[in-house]
Amino acid sequence: MHFEFHVEGGNFSKAGSASSQLKKILKQLNVDPRVIKRVVVALYEAEVNIVAHAYQGTIYINIDTEKIEIRLIDEGPGIEDIELAMQQGYSTASPEVREMGFGAGMGLPNIKNNSDRMSVTSQVGKGTTVEIITFLNN
């Protein structure tokens, strides 16, 4: 099964809508609730990162009998130092984003903690791609 979701940068009123839709889909597929929780947390964090930091992005989700693969591709400023961005508490969020309760520097670490595989590639001035894989029987 394949799904795509468009994410609008800066639109916090819709942040998390792709995560909510995926949660409903996974429940309908009778996926283990523990797997659903991990996948939804990881996707929500990545989705909010697009809203908070990018101009726009697209989420591609593939579900098969073994795994859930999620690829998020955004158009935005990119990440200068991915290793630094992976550290808990590190954030480049604007003061406005922090005032809304986001940008605590937990997004990428939470994605890593709630996935079986994660990779981040980025090009400064172009955007970032985050790939998340969660195995269904792990």
Side-chain angles (χ1 to χ4, degrees), residues 26 31-32 34-36 38-39 62-70 114-118 132-138:
L26 295 176
V31 171
D32 183 326
R34 294 169 295 186
V35 172
I36 293 174
R38 293 179 64 221
V39 169
N62 287 307
I63 303 170
D64 63 31
T65 57
E66 297 178 7
K67 64 191 173 304
I68 301 165
E69 292 179 290
I70 303 171
N114 284 287
S115 61
D116 293 314
R117 292 185 189 160
M118 173 195 175
I132 303 164
I133 296 176
T134 303
F135 294 101
L136 295 174
N137 299 311
N138 199 6

Side-chain angles (χ1 to χ4, degrees), residues 5 17 34 40 51 64 69 74-75 95 103 120 122 126 138:
F5 301 95
S17 63
R34 294 169 295 186
V40 169
V51 173
D64 63 31
E69 292 179 290
D74 75 39
E75 295 173 23
V120 180
S122 188
K126 297 275 185 179
N138 199 6

Side-chain angles (χ1 to χ4, degrees), residues 2-21:
H2 176 80
F3 303 93
E4 287 185 27
F5 301 95
H6 178 75
V7 180
E8 182 182 343
N11 189 349
F12 284 92
S13 69
K14 291 190 176 179
S17 63
S19 311
S20 294
Q21 290 181 54

Side-chain angles (χ1 to χ4, degrees), residues 17-91:
S17 63
S19 311
S20 294
Q21 290 181 54
L22 180 60
K23 183 178 182 180
K24 289 177 190 170
I25 292 165
L26 295 176
K27 281 184 173 181
Q28 290 172 347
L29 295 172
N30 290 319
V31 171
D32 183 326
R34 294 169 295 186
V35 172
I36 293 174
K37 181 179 178 184
R38 293 179 64 221
V39 169
V40 169
V41 167
L43 178 55
Y44 178 79
E45 294 285 4
E47 188 177 356
V48 169
N49 276 348
I50 292 175
V51 173
H53 298 285
Y55 313 122
Q56 64 178 343
T58 304
I59 301 170
Y60 302 93
I61 300 172
N62 287 307
I63 303 170
D64 63 31
T65 57
E66 297 178 7
K67 64 191 173 304
I68 301 165
E69 292 179 290
I70 303 171
R71 188 165 32 109
L72 304 98
I73 301 174
D74 75 39
E75 295 173 23
I79 301 171
E80 221 169 275
D81 186 336
I82 293 172
E83 191 173 318
L84 182 60
M86 290 298 299
Q87 294 180 11
Q88 284 188 352
Y90 178 80
S91 177

